[in-house]
Amino acid sequence: MPDTSEVPSDIEVIKQRKKDGIEIPLNKDVQARTTSTYLEYVKLVHNALPEIDYDDIDLSTTFLGHRFSAPLIIDSMTGGTDEATVINGRLGELAQKYGLGMGLGSQRAGLKSEELAATYSIARKNAPGAFLIANIGGAQLAKGLTIDEARKIVKMIGANALVVHLNPLQELVQPEGEPRYRGVLDKISELVKSMDVPVIVKEVGAGISREAAIRLEMAGVSAINVAGAGGTSWAGVEKLRADMVKDRAKARLGEVFWDWGIPTAASLVQVRRAVKLPLIASGGLRNGLEVAKCVALGASMAAMAYPFLKAAAKSKEALFEFADTVLAELKSTMFLVGAQNVRSLASSRYILTGPLAEEVGRG
């Protein structure tokens, strides 16, 4: 009989993968190399006569029937490992105190045990009044995740919405990935009809095309998070994980497709023109000016993951200081374009330049 004493359990494998998903972005350079978000090609038009006072600017907004203190979501990041408990706890405190939205990392791990579920539910414990977004993968839906399991995931954190993340590139490169996407759209449509909370669909750094957005709108989803290229490369993360286990074929894929995807601003512009759904813009956003640009381009909300992860891993104080900085940058941008509220910001004038202007010109 073979000796299995050294074979890690399913839970230990999950915990290690989730741990890698935190430590690699924090300690290795896995940002986009040759692709940018294209947000640098969006120029908001300066208003020398704003006719408003800075202190009177209102950042609050409404999204999916919930009131937010600012158009900002702490994007889906982590869970399923001990390190995630601390990080999600701090992020939950921030979401509660600042009136922000917060997404959790993929919660399939939480279905495995109460121990892993606690790494996610700490967010609701620390954010009893915040808008929390539960998370499951499209690949898991295709594999057979049931409606009951989806409901358990929502209940796990008392979620206000459920996001289905689409990560075909990551699944392709991940050493233990499941690049099986046949039937995902039908499964999403089934979720929409069966869940008691709004269903959002997001990418994880490769962007949503206009064609995919139209199909998602037809499936009945409540919102789309474009999550474009230009920030953290999950192909890069999985490439480094493949290096660790000496999977040369996967590592090669990760290297080749490191910068694959639709730049965030290009994806946002494409999708905004194609559908009428509320949109979340994410993928490489790093400051409040970029948040403002996304709102001007048609996003209802903007979301950040890596910057919040980096700050939360450092300390609660660093996290709150970063949030203060981003919100001050957003408010400053609104002052400089003469927008007293988010609705006015959404109608602000902008100029598109470079490849983004060419993208729009091609229709």
Side-chain angles (χ1 to χ4, degrees):
M1 186 174 180
D3 180 10
T4 59
S5 61
E6 298 299 320
V7 178
S9 67
D10 285 348
I11 290 178
E12 291 305 314
V13 170
I14 290 171
K15 290 173 72 174
Q16 184 59 51
R17 187 171 74 245
K18 298 295 186 179
K19 184 177 181 180
D20 291 344
I22 295 172
E23 293 186 344
I24 291 176
L26 289 176
N27 299 309
K28 303 290 184 180
D29 184 4
V30 287
Q31 299 304 297
R33 293 170 172 171
T34 61
T35 298
S36 79
T37 64
Y38 277 20
L39 286 168
E40 68 270 29
Y41 301 118
V42 181
K43 310 297 181 183
L44 296 178
V45 176
H46 175 65
N47 185 350
L49 288 171
E51 290 293 337
I52 56 174
D53 292 337
Y54 179 84
D55 291 340
D56 292 336
I57 292 173
D58 180 11
L59 299 183
S60 67
T61 191
T62 300
F63 175 69
L64 296 182
H66 187 92
R67 192 73 171 172
F68 294 81
S69 296
L72 185 60
I73 293 173
I74 303 162
D75 214 354
S76 305
M77 276 182 268
T78 189
T81 185
D82 294 339
E83 292 81 358
T85 306
V86 175
I87 290 170
N88 282 337
R90 289 172 179 169
L91 294 172
E93 287 187 61
L94 178 68
Q96 177 67 24
K97 182 176 179 180
Y98 284 63
L100 307 179
M102 177 182 173
L104 278 295
S106 179
Q107 290 171 246
R108 178 178 54 163
L111 295 174
K112 297 283 187 179
S113 73
E114 289 296 325
E115 174 194 359
L116 298 185
T119 67
Y120 300 95
S121 60
I122 183 66
R124 177 54 80 197
K125 180 180 178 181
N126 289 357
F131 188 94
L132 297 188
I133 306 171
N135 186 346
I136 194 62
Q140 284 69 62
L141 285 179
K143 191 177 179 181
L145 185 99
T146 67
I147 296 297
D148 283 344
E149 287 175 318
R151 288 172 177 153
K152 288 179 182 178
I153 283 169
V154 169
K155 185 178 179 181
M156 190 185 300
I157 63 167
N160 304 92
L162 171 66
V163 74
V164 177
H165 70 263
L166 304 178
N167 63 337
L169 175 58
Q170 185 183 11
E171 295 287 357
L172 195 65
V173 179
Q174 190 177 86
E176 59 279 82
E178 299 171 318
R180 302 180 185 93
Y181 264 68
R182 187 181 300 277
V184 170
L185 189 61
D186 286 342
K187 291 287 188 177
I188 290 172
S189 181
E190 184 182 351
L191 266 186
V192 168
K193 296 171 184 175
S194 304
M195 300 302 293
D196 295 326
V197 297
V199 175
I200 304 168
V201 173
K202 75 182 295 287
E203 239 286 349
V204 297
I208 298 285
S209 68
R210 62 170 63 89
E211 294 83 4
I214 291 169
R215 294 167 71 194
L216 289 169
E217 184 175 46
M218 292 177 65
V221 304
S222 296
I224 294 173
N225 183 342
V226 300
T232 301
S233 167
W234 283 96
V237 171
E238 299 301 345
K239 186 268 181 194
L240 295 186
R241 293 190 65 245
D243 284 339
M244 294 177 188
V245 296
K246 296 180 170 50
D247 188 333
R248 294 181 180 177
K250 294 286 190 176
R252 166 78 180 186
L253 274 178
E255 187 68 34
V256 169
F257 290 97
W258 189 293
D259 284 310
W260 176 269
I262 307 168
T264 296
S267 179
L268 177 56
V269 169
Q270 280 188 26
V271 174
R272 180 69 291 156
R273 290 185 165 198
V275 302
K276 296 179 180 180
L277 293 172
L279 303 181
I280 303 169
S282 71
L285 275 64
R286 297 292 180 258
N287 56 59
L289 171 57
E290 292 178 336
V291 169
K293 288 181 178 182
C294 288
V295 173
L297 287 178
S300 296
M301 303 289 286
M304 297 182 184
Y306 173 72
F308 280 121
L309 173 64
K310 184 178 179 181
K314 186 176 181 180
S315 68
K316 177 181 172 180
E317 292 72 24
L319 177 63
F320 280 52
E321 181 180 350
F322 173 72
D324 286 335
T325 299
V326 170
L327 294 176
E329 291 165 346
L330 171 59
K331 193 171 180 179
S332 296
T333 307
M334 292 171 67
F335 179 69
L336 293 174
V337 299
Q340 189 164 333
N341 52 49
V342 174
R343 178 175 294 182
S344 296
L345 176 62
S347 60
S348 296
R349 288 185 57 220
Y350 57 83
I351 299 169
L352 303 182
T353 64
L356 186 56
E358 296 171 11
E359 170 77 23
V360 172
R362 286 194 296 266

